[in-house]
Amino acid sequence: MSGRLFGTDGVRGTANVHPMTAEMTLRLGQALAHVFRGSSGANRVLIGKDTRLSGYMFEDALAAGLCAMGVNVIQVGPMPTPAMAFLTADMRCDAGAMISASHNPYRDNGIKFFARDGFKLPDEVQERIEELVASEHLEEFRAAPEALGRARRIDDAAGRYVVFLKKTFPLDLTLEGLRIALDCANGAAYKVGPTVLEELGAEVSAIGVSPNGRNINEGCGALHPERLCEEVLAHRADIGIAVDGDADRVVLVTERGEIVDGDALLALCTRDLVEREELRGGALVATVMSNLGLELALREIGVRLVRTEVGDRRVVEEMRRGGYNLGGEQSGHVVFLDHNTTGDGLLTALQVLAVMKRRARRLSELAGGLTRFPQSLVSVQLPRRPAGELPGFERHVEAVKRELGERGRVVVRYSGTEPKLRVMVEGEDEARVRQLAAELADELRSAAAP
């Protein structure tokens, strides 16, 4: 085996193509079992999945690898990623595994792991798992016949998560009188999403709740909220909620059919926590991709924006390190660390609904006030090597930064999943931003040419 297995969010790829094969998944299960048995005497691992056709294959392969090492397995079937984070800790499991490729099409799949505290694995643990998967000695750690693990399914996991979500909503409030349009992307939240909203009293019009193994994220969900916008207007809903395939991200739609992205959600939630004196650390944590407009809006209310590398795992790591309780990404991953350990689309929607109810205001009113700066993102095929090895390109980047000054940014980063360098330029003049991004891309291609 060659190359890294873990990317920015677990292992991911095309189903039945390396590394996302049944054989590799079995070895991942064996390695996970050995790593956690070695550190904490693990004997129970939770496995969940989204609604992809390949999920059945990977679920059984992962369970087989774990059982072969003497670890017992609990399978919960289709379940949102944030539910798996919560359940792993709530059920006192030694680790959790979520089989999902999140917002990707059904042909892709992936696996992300959680430690017993519900947080995603740190880099050093992922590296240890990779080493074991590549090792020729992994088979030496198999359990004796009398010590094999057992796999069993439970049926009450969804109910546990619904109860957890409801407890994050203020006890003195209900959703009575609200009409909500919900798009579950034909993914993992197709059951729990409508249930939690209806149990809190809302009238729910749900779409994207008929998974067939192949239609997850297909023209629906957080990546394609256009259909939800139509649903909101057609049913005169007070709000639209769209999650992605594993429900760890969310996009909201106002009663006017306007899309509210992650940056606007972060601004809204930050303002609310500030007003209630519940924002810890005086800062919001977001990635380098969040709009400069968010940073300036926060500055007006005395809140710092702490930026991290792309990926909600990086956001959470910084939140824990700095003692912050709110963070997220422009894509709609929002982390309320007082409630859960990872991005949670349904939980985020409930927090926004609570603000709407407390303040008796519409979402269109609450989500306003964020002036976005134009952004242009370009990707260039490039082998993974430091951009500093391309001095001409680096000089060009510095020149663009000087031109933009404090009213613009340039972000250069490698893709976590592809051999590409991504360049994002942000500034006040959209035409100039696009021109500068195109010039940097051309410079990069020329500098990288053999």
Side-chain angles (χ1 to χ4, degrees):
M1 186 193 77
S2 61
R4 290 289 309 272
L5 279 177
F6 287 88
T8 54
D9 195 16
V11 183
R12 190 176 296 185
T14 303
N16 231 21
V17 177
H18 179 82
M20 285 309 301
T21 63
E23 296 84 356
M24 182 60 70
T25 302
L26 187 144
R27 290 185 68 83
L28 278 168
Q30 290 178 309
L32 177 72
H34 183 67
V35 165
F36 279 86
R37 282 182 67 88
S39 62
S40 61
N43 63 3
R44 190 166 61 168
V45 172
L46 194 69
I47 299 179
K49 62 181 181 179
D50 63 23
T51 57
R52 293 162 208 273
L53 180 63
S54 59
Y56 296 95
M57 175 177 71
F58 294 124
E59 178 186 35
D60 289 340
L62 189 62
L66 290 160
C67 290
M69 305 297 276
V71 171
N72 294 320
V73 171
I74 301 174
Q75 295 168 304
V76 298
M79 195 66 55
T81 288
M84 294 301 298
F86 159 72
L87 290 167
T88 297
D90 184 65
M91 296 177 65
R92 309 303 192 269
C93 292
D94 297 281
M98 176 65 185
I99 300 168
S100 173
S102 189
H103 56 278
N104 287 24
Y106 88 92
R107 293 177 180 83
D108 293 337
N109 216 328
I111 307 174
K112 57 191 86 174
F113 298 110
F114 297 96
R116 63 186 307 150
D117 59 4
F119 287 98
K120 292 178 181 177
L121 304 186
D123 289 340
E124 57 269 22
V125 177
Q126 292 186 354
E127 289 167 4
R128 177 60 180 142
I129 291 174
E130 285 193 358
E131 291 171 1
L132 281 167
V133 169
S135 170
E136 298 178 357
H137 304 290
L138 186 58
E139 288 75 10
E140 298 173 7
F141 306 119
R142 289 174 180 164
E146 65 275 10
L148 292 173
R150 296 182 179 183
R152 64 186 177 95
R153 293 185 178 274
I154 62 172
D155 299 321
D156 67 340
R160 293 182 187 222
Y161 181 55
V162 167
V163 170
F164 158 73
L165 286 175
K166 288 164 61 179
K167 286 183 177 179
T168 71
F169 193 76
L171 289 174
D172 59 330
L173 299 176
T174 75
L175 296 179
E176 294 285 348
L178 284 184
R179 187 180 293 118
I180 298 176
L182 174 66
D183 186 347
C184 293
N186 292 312
Y190 78 102
K191 287 185 178 179
V192 298
T195 299
V196 68
L197 295 173
E198 288 171 352
E199 289 190 6
L200 285 171
E203 178 186 334
V204 181
S205 172
I207 59 177
V209 290
S210 302
N212 61 17
R214 294 180 172 86
N215 61 358
I216 186 171
N217 298 314
E218 186 178 20
C220 57
L223 261 70
H224 305 282
E226 301 81 16
R227 183 180 170 200
L228 180 63
C229 292
E230 297 173 358
E231 190 78 6
V232 166
L233 296 175
H235 290 267
R236 290 184 292 177
D238 297 289
I239 185 175
I241 301 169
V243 296
D244 65 338
D246 69 335
D248 65 349
R249 67 167 71 179
V250 67
V251 168
L252 299 185
V253 174
T254 73
E255 76 284 355
R256 300 173 180 172
E258 303 159 331
I259 295 172
V260 181
D261 70 1
D263 281 347
L265 286 177
L266 289 170
L268 187 162
C269 294
T270 302
R271 286 194 297 266
D272 177 66
L273 289 177
V274 167
E275 291 172 10
R276 292 191 290 117
E277 299 183 347
E278 293 185 8
L279 184 72
R280 286 197 272 116
L284 167 74
V285 181
T287 75
V288 293
M289 299 307 293
S290 275
N291 198 278
L292 182 59
L294 173 62
E295 187 171 346
L296 298 179
L298 294 179
R299 194 177 298 170
E300 292 178 0
I301 58 173
V303 175
R304 293 180 294 115
L305 180 63
V306 178
R307 293 187 184 270
T308 72
E309 296 177 19
V310 172
D312 68 317
R313 189 164 64 95
R314 300 304 183 196
V315 170
V316 172
E317 288 171 354
E318 181 60 34
M319 292 173 70
R320 299 179 75 186
R321 188 161 41 242
Y324 310 115
N325 61 342
L326 181 64
E329 295 188 280
Q330 189 182 59
S331 58
H333 289 111
V334 179
V335 183
F336 289 87
L337 210 50
D338 291 335
H339 296 301
N340 207 350
T341 58
T342 189
D344 190 325
L346 294 173
L347 189 155
T348 300
L350 288 177
Q351 305 316 300
V352 173
L353 286 164
V355 178
M356 291 172 61
K357 294 292 284 189
R358 271 196 301 261
R359 306 190 186 286
R361 297 178 66 186
R362 294 182 176 275
L363 180 59
S364 60
E365 299 171 310
L366 294 168
L370 181 63
T371 302
R372 287 177 176 77
F373 282 54
Q375 291 181 337
S376 181
L377 178 66
V378 293
S379 299
V380 178
Q381 199 84 13
L382 187 72
R384 184 174 291 276
R385 56 173 168 156
E389 294 180 10
L390 308 171
F393 174 70
E394 283 295 291
R395 286 193 293 271
H396 197 163
V397 169
E398 291 304 315
V400 172
K401 287 181 178 180
R402 287 193 297 273
E403 177 182 336
L404 295 172
E406 294 185 356
R407 304 290 288 181
R409 296 186 303 134
V410 180
V411 178
V412 179
R413 69 179 185 89
Y414 283 97
S415 167
T417 57
E418 301 173 279
K420 292 181 178 180
L421 193 67
R422 305 196 194 281
V423 180
M424 190 274 286
V425 179
E426 182 178 46
E428 294 179 288
D429 185 330
E430 183 171 4
R432 183 58 177 157
V433 162
R434 291 184 180 278
Q435 180 183 0
L436 289 170
E439 289 175 357
L440 283 173
D442 290 341
E443 174 70 30
L444 183 58
R445 294 185 187 98
S446 298

